[in-house]
Amino acid sequence: TPAEVEVAAARAHAHGPVQVEVSGGVTLATLRAYAQAGADLVVGAYNAANNGRAFSGSAMLRRAPLA
């Protein structure tokens, strides 16, 4: 869940420059929540039920550098 990612990402980022990857269960509807929780990379498959097309891929999220 985004809440679990928030805890894990905070721990990981506290130990140096790392990238946190999230996969499985991520949808277009939850993508923003995972990004805001601290995920740097998201891997998933996105399905558009209304037209039967599917897209599978990954996204690299960019955030402002930590001060």
Side-chain angles (χ1 to χ4, degrees), residues 1-45:
T1 66
E4 292 169 321
V5 170
E6 186 171 11
V7 172
R11 287 180 184 165
H13 289 142
H15 292 286
V18 299
Q19 291 188 327
V20 175
E21 180 180 307
V22 176
S23 66
V26 179
T27 66
L28 290 175
T30 61
L31 182 59
R32 180 182 298 257
Y34 281 100
Q36 291 173 334
D40 300 299
L41 303 163
V42 176
V43 178

